[in-house]
Amino acid sequence: MNTKFSSPSGKLSIVIGNPLALIGDDIDTDRIIPARFLKCVSFEHLGKDVFADDRKNLNGSHPFDLVKNQGSSILIVNSNFGCGSSREHAPQALLRWGIRAIVGESFAEIFYGNCIAIGIPCFTLSKELIKNIQNEVNQNSYLFEINIKESTLKYGSVKLNLKIKDTSKQMFLSGEWDATSTLLANINFIEKKFDELPYTKFNKSLN
């Protein structure tokens, strides 16, 4: 787990970090962050509770507990990752643990959208390639480099072509995924539009 949390913002083109392999199909959002943690007022402390039940059952041997994985930021998963309920807490918990990109066979659609909305790019590869990467990651230490513009993953002497939706890629490269930054960058336009609206003019005249 990364002890210092910093939220992604603005344009994203490169993600560099250590990988963490999480093996298993159909890992759902209830496993990623169990329902009892959804009562939180903010997402701030969800990182420490990611995969809470799985980690408890494995008593320290879960990938998110292994010493060699602490500080990892690129998650390697299998098929239909993030299925189940649509809770946005799941990608928020992963983000606050330290995950900055996910590479897998496939993703549940709502989970994928929730990841994009908070700055976690999700890429896909074939089942065979994911299995090979997970085996390598568990046996060796690598630094991964994901180039969003080129849609590539590099580690060691390996370079792979990743798949990502073109709309998602463009959102990261332009910074449009980051709604807050986009609003702040267009504050003059927003204020101008606000002044042009007839009902806001009416409200101003009452004050």
Side-chain angles (χ1 to χ4, degrees):
M1 181 175 178
N2 292 337
T3 55
K4 292 183 178 180
F5 173 74
S6 59
S7 180
S9 63
K11 298 178 181 179
L12 300 176
S13 58
I14 301 287
V15 180
I16 298 175
N18 295 316
L20 186 162
L22 184 65
I23 298 173
D25 296 329
D26 305 314
I27 293 178
D28 62 36
T29 54
D30 194 46
R31 288 176 62 187
I32 296 172
I33 188 71
R36 64 184 179 278
F37 297 110
L38 305 189
K39 299 176 182 178
C40 60
V41 176
S42 74
F43 301 123
E44 184 179 353
H45 300 294
L46 286 180
K48 64 183 177 59
D49 298 315
V50 69
F51 291 106
D53 292 340
D54 288 4
R55 291 163 70 180
K56 181 179 180 181
N57 291 337
L58 291 176
N59 194 27
S61 61
H62 189 277
F64 275 70
D65 285 325
L66 298 180
V67 173
K68 75 181 187 71
N69 289 333
Q70 302 309 302
S72 295
S73 58
I74 299 176
L75 184 61
I76 312 299
V77 299
N78 297 107
S79 67
N80 199 29
F81 187 73
C83 57
S85 63
S86 60
R87 64 189 64 167
E88 58 183 323
H89 299 67
Q92 288 283 358
L94 291 170
L95 179 72
R96 279 156 174 74
W97 190 89
I99 299 302
R100 293 296 178 268
I102 310 176
V103 181
E105 295 173 42
S106 62
F107 300 91
E109 193 66 26
I110 295 177
F111 175 84
Y112 177 93
N114 285 338
C115 283
I116 302 304
I118 61 173
I120 302 178
C122 297
F123 305 87
T124 57
L125 280 172
S126 69
K127 186 180 187 70
E128 181 180 3
L129 286 175
I130 289 293
K131 183 178 180 180
N132 290 342
I133 293 172
Q134 288 176 328
N135 288 337
E136 289 229 31
V137 165
N138 284 331
Q139 295 174 15
N140 302 287
S141 296
Y142 290 104
L143 185 67
F144 276 27
E145 179 180 315
I146 294 175
N147 187 309
I148 298 176
K149 184 176 181 179
E150 297 179 0
S151 299
T152 57
L153 166 63
K154 292 193 296 185
Y155 65 95
S157 60
V158 176
K159 184 175 181 179
L160 300 171
N161 293 319
L162 301 171
K163 291 183 179 180
I164 183 174
K165 293 179 181 179
D166 190 58
T167 51
S168 300
K169 178 195 287 192
Q170 294 309 316
M171 287 179 72
F172 284 117
L173 295 177
S174 66
E176 290 179 3
W177 71 270
D178 186 356
T180 301
S181 292
T182 300
L183 284 171
L184 291 174
N186 292 277
I187 189 65
N188 291 334
F189 172 80
I190 294 169
E191 289 178 345
K192 181 175 180 294
K193 181 58 66 175
F194 180 83
D195 289 338
E196 292 174 353
L197 295 173
Y199 47 85
T200 57
K201 289 181 179 178
F202 176 75
N203 287 337
K204 284 184 177 181
S205 68
L206 295 178
N207 292 331

